[in-house]
Amino acid sequence: MSPTPGSSSSGGSARAWRDALVAVVAGFVVMAVVAAAGLWCAGAGDLPDGAFPHVVAAVVVMAAGGSLEVSGGAGSLAGAEVSLSVVPLSVSLAGALLTGYLFLRPLHNRAVARPRELLGRALPLVVLWLLALTGVAFLARETFGISTGDSPIGTITELLDAAPTVGFQADLPATLLYGLLWILGLLLIALLVSRRAPLPARLVRFHTALRPAAFATMLLLLAYVVLGIGVGVVVAATQGHADRTSAVILLGLPNLVWLALTLGFGGAWEGNVEGPFGLPMPQVLDQVLRGSDPSRIDVSALAEQDSRAWWLVVVAVVLLLGTGVLAAVRSPAHVRPWQHALHLGVALALATLAVCLLGRIQAQFGLSLLGIGEVDGLGGQVRLEPVLWRNVGLGLLWGAVAGFLGALAARPLRRGGRVDAPATTSGATPATPE
């Protein structure tokens, strides 16, 4: 006896919630594991009073697009100006890859899906993701005491029993808003880059324009991460500081390597590093930024400190051409070179925009005594901002150049005009194999 429509719908809904629960739990678990490993390598395992889980939760919140409120002071004796804005992209990438894969897995092996079915798969995942993010946000709060050493404020605070502190807690409304944008963006990107995920029938005709370029751009970003891991392993093995290097790899490797991508095709960033804080690696970046006045970073500025920075250009050229060839090979034979140029140019421009928005760093801490002045050795800031329109414009330009040249180079490699596109534009939706 065949199931009734109502029971079929109920079963499908139950499977959607089950699959969404698996994806959300797996995504948060892998982010927590990567964050904990990175923080442990950075020395956070020695934090007092059981603070380590709260710091891990804070990193996960930031990785999932959330926002932290950081505050500090010592009652009426001292004030603190504290701010922190950074996305630990290694943690974000780990969660995004696993969650996106588990979201797409039940949708494979079909040509077309109804919009209602895609919405029915996405909605439970979004709801459960926000619930999980809310739980992690409540855990992401802690207050630490600050050692002032032999400074004048240290003597006074000891006498008055008013030691300075700094604390953090998740900004729940902002965390849920940005977390919603984060998970919606992830699901959209997953559908864009997947070769086998179905599309609504009316959107199938956009498959040729969107998916080959989006997939090739995603592989470009992942290739930079893989190269960064290789460089990090070599640095850890040959130059020491294995714990610090491992912490950078586990917490912020994409922040560095995707910045290197933008510099390699001619982009620029600006900022400064002041005080005892700084960027953990590479040292050449810290050297260029060190000082109270903002500095602009591009390949030539880095090369003044270390001539090996010119290799960023070589790596970018090789990988961009490879990206153009890959996008062309995955496209139908009838797509013209100028169309490849347009598709890849737009894809790389959008990817560069995302890298610029996510790769910003702003951290500041200043402790003042009675509002008079900052305590020596405790104040400092790190700021790194993209030159946005220069980076995005060059991403568009070099994406177009790579797409055009890649299309010409890919002609001998074409597979008889075959493309991984949906085979039909009908509304049929085969059952998902369990």
Side-chain angles (χ1 to χ4, degrees), residues 213-359:
F215 178 79
T217 303
M218 180 197 70
L219 282 191
L220 171 67
L221 297 177
L222 294 180
Y224 264 87
V225 173
V226 173
L227 285 176
I229 293 174
V231 172
V233 170
V234 172
V235 169
T238 59
Q239 300 183 16
H241 306 293
D243 289 346
R244 186 176 67 179
T245 303
S246 299
V248 171
I249 292 175
L250 291 167
L251 294 176
L253 182 63
N255 300 70
L256 293 175
V257 296
W258 293 344
L259 178 146
L261 166 62
T262 63
L263 295 179
F265 61 62
W269 294 63
E270 59 185 15
N272 65 297
V273 174
E274 186 179 7
F277 312 117
L279 298 171
M281 64 178 295
Q283 292 183 357
V284 62
L285 188 60
D286 189 89
Q287 292 169 359
V288 173
L289 290 174
R290 179 66 59 177
S292 58
D293 296 328
S295 301
R296 175 159 293 196
I297 306 169
D298 54 22
V299 172
S300 61
L302 294 179
E304 291 178 1
Q305 302 290 332
D306 189 337
S307 60
R308 291 175 297 180
W310 291 112
W311 281 102
L312 295 178
V313 178
V314 177
V315 172
V317 169
V318 172
L319 291 184
L320 282 172
L321 289 177
T323 301
V325 172
L326 177 62
V329 167
R330 291 174 61 90
S331 299
H334 64 77
V335 179
R336 298 177 180 178
W338 70 265
Q339 292 174 307
H340 286 296
L342 176 62
H343 299 163
L344 190 57
V346 171
L348 186 59
L350 292 176
T352 302
L353 176 61
V355 167
C356 289
L357 295 179
L358 296 174

Side-chain angles (χ1 to χ4, degrees), residues 2-27:
S2 61
T4 63
S7 63
S8 175
S9 175
S10 175
S13 176
R15 285 196 300 271
W17 283 95
R18 180 200 65 192
D19 295 338
L21 179 62
V22 170
V24 169
V25 170

Side-chain angles (χ1 to χ4, degrees), residues 112-206:
V112 178
R114 290 188 296 269
R116 183 175 179 181
E117 180 189 4
L118 294 178
L119 182 62
R121 284 284 177 177
L123 183 60
L125 194 149
V126 171
V127 171
L128 293 176
W129 185 270
L130 293 180
L131 289 175
L133 185 58
T134 301
V136 176
F138 279 114
L139 184 62
R141 57 181 64 203
E142 188 60 62
T143 301
F144 301 96
I146 303 173
S147 174
T148 55
D150 297 327
S151 65
I153 195 173
T155 304
I156 298 174
T157 55
E158 183 178 353
L159 292 174
L160 298 181
D161 192 23
T165 62
V166 62
F168 64 84
Q169 66 177 8
D171 182 350
L172 188 58
T175 293
L176 292 180
L177 174 60
Y178 295 131
L180 174 63
L181 297 177
W182 192 95
I183 189 62
L184 290 177
L186 169 62
L187 300 184
L188 176 61
I189 292 172
L191 288 173
L192 284 177
V193 302
S194 174
R195 299 176 61 179
R196 295 183 293 169
L199 291 173
R202 294 183 178 180
L203 299 181
V204 169
R205 65 180 181 273
F206 297 111

